[in-house]
Amino acid sequence: MKKENKYVITWLLSGCLLLFMMVVVGGITRLTNSGLSMTDWHLVTDTFPPLTEAKWSQAFEEYKKFPEYQKINIHNDFTLSDYKFIYFWEWFHRFIGRIIGLVFIVPFFYFLLKKRLSTETLKKCVVLLGMGAFQGFLGWFMVRSGLIDNPDVSHFRLSLHLTFAFITFAYTLWVALDLIYPNRTASIVPLKKLARIGLVFLLLQIIYGGFVAGLNAGLIHNHWPLMSDGQFIHDSVFIEQKSLFLNLTEGKSGVQFVHRTMAYVVVGLILALYFASKKYTLSSTQTKGINALVIIVFLQFTLGVLTLLYSVPLWLGLAHQIVAFFLLTAMTFTLHRLSK
């Protein structure tokens, strides 16, 4: 690591930490059904929550105009106190988003003026800024889908918002790793290819994790290793929607089946990488990356099973999402060390 890159690396890793916090709070927001509590978006005026009871009452009355209250919460003795609770998590989620924006933009221009960014790093940071702006748009695009007729966000939009946050984190980490390890070494091509395949399937698994969350598909077939009625592929996988494709992308049973089955694929690919790596002489960082992958993927698999068996309690659902983040971190680090 070059000394002149130290502060840029700290900046990028701080962004990674904030993105991690953003996803964690986003998970709490989803699991507490708080995502539709703020019915509008303003860059400045809703930076802080309502500060008086009159403002709270005004916000609550505005919330009552939308489907979530009119179709669900109106029947649940939903009070202003309940509203304040769900409002907090959505506000906090957006507040961290604003902090991330400031943390990326202000130091970026500082490093630009001080000429601390090489041409290559500058290009990557511009991409990161664009990704951050697009992620903010995806957040509102997702929320918008639950404010019209259906009192729930589109599971496609939720998964897109979640997955792009993971990708933005991974790319930020990759840029930081390029600066931490500036000296290139010969890549191990077979292991690199296997790690790339593992990353693709891990991202597909994250996408389907978003589908499961968006459809509340973890609340059915709460059995393992088989689905309900002792079936590996339950009959309902094929009958909820009009076609097999729709069943596997919009049906609760089909989406859960894909997610639980792809978990075996991800575990298998990481184990294949681990055993294939034994044929090569690896650096310490390569070895640590692969070992971390094996440990984290088994932890994540176990959490996934427990989350399903216990019908997605808040703490288990959140732990499952957090460890998915650690798994992507380990995969990104390992692929980087096998590639450069």
Side-chain angles (χ1 to χ4, degrees), residues 191-202 269 331 335:
L191 297 185
K192 180 175 71 174
K193 289 181 177 178
L194 196 51
R196 282 179 173 175
I197 295 171
L199 178 61
V200 169
F201 275 91
L202 177 56
L269 286 168
M331 182 65 80
L335 179 57

Side-chain angles (χ1 to χ4, degrees), residues 27 38 41-42 56 100 111 122 125 134-135 140 149 167 174 183 202 210 227 249 254-255 284 320:
M38 295 178 70
W41 187 88
H42 302 283
W56 274 115
I100 290 174
F111 292 134
L122 175 60
C125 290
F134 186 60
Q135 177 68 0
W140 176 243
D149 298 312
I167 292 172
W174 190 277
N183 298 321
L202 177 56
M227 299 178 79
T249 55
V255 163
S284 61
H320 189 48

Side-chain angles (χ1 to χ4, degrees), residues 4-53:
E4 60 266 28
N5 289 331
K6 178 180 178 181
Y7 294 109
V8 177
I9 292 168
T10 301
W11 166 54
L12 291 169
L13 293 180
S14 297
C16 287
L17 178 61
L18 285 169
L19 285 166
F20 169 72
M21 291 176 58
M22 184 79 167
V23 171
V24 171
V25 174
I28 297 173
T29 301
R30 176 61 191 171
L31 291 167
T32 56
N33 297 311
S34 302
L36 299 176
S37 57
M38 295 178 70
T39 56
D40 206 345
W41 187 88
H42 302 283
L43 183 61
V44 177
T45 55
D46 61 359
T47 300
F48 299 100
L51 300 177
T52 65
E53 285 300 309

Side-chain angles (χ1 to χ4, degrees), residues 55-188:
K55 291 291 185 180
W56 274 115
S57 297
Q58 181 181 346
F60 190 30
E61 290 303 316
E62 191 65 25
Y63 171 73
K64 290 179 180 180
K65 299 176 183 178
F66 289 87
E68 185 174 73
Y69 179 82
Q70 295 175 348
K71 296 182 179 181
I72 299 176
N73 284 333
I74 194 173
H75 306 294
N76 295 332
D77 296 323
F78 196 77
T79 65
L80 179 59
S81 178
D82 297 320
Y83 177 67
K84 288 180 179 180
F85 174 78
I86 64 172
Y87 187 102
F88 169 78
W89 287 113
E90 176 62 12
W91 166 80
F92 192 37
H93 186 55
R94 298 189 190 191
F95 183 74
I96 295 175
R98 287 181 169 88
I99 297 298
I100 290 174
L102 290 174
V103 166
F104 269 100
I105 292 171
V106 175
F108 170 76
F109 283 107
Y110 172 80
F111 292 134
L112 189 62
L113 291 172
K114 293 291 184 178
K115 298 181 179 180
R116 295 280 184 88
L117 303 174
S118 66
T119 302
E120 184 180 359
T121 303
L122 175 60
K123 292 177 181 178
K124 295 173 183 176
C125 290
V126 170
V127 172
L128 278 175
L129 290 173
M131 293 175 75
F134 186 60
Q135 177 68 0
F137 163 76
L138 288 177
W140 176 243
F141 183 63
M142 176 190 69
V143 170
R144 179 72 177 169
S145 66
L147 296 176
I148 302 174
D149 298 312
N150 184 18
D152 205 356
V153 299
S154 161
H155 70 289
F156 292 115
R157 297 188 188 187
L158 182 146
S159 184
L160 181 60
H161 184 52
L162 174 68
T163 305
F164 198 74
F166 274 81
I167 292 172
T168 303
F169 167 86
Y171 185 66
T172 306
L173 179 60
W174 190 277
V175 176
L177 290 172
D178 279 345
L179 297 176
I180 294 171
Y181 301 101
N183 298 321
R184 293 177 178 269
T185 57
S187 65
I188 304 175

Side-chain angles (χ1 to χ4, degrees), residues 221-236 257 260:
H221 304 302
N222 300 111
H223 307 276
W224 186 83
L226 303 176
M227 299 178 79
S228 300
D229 305 316
Q231 296 178 314
F232 178 69
I233 307 178
H234 194 262
D235 295 336
S236 56
F257 171 75
R260 65 195 288 160

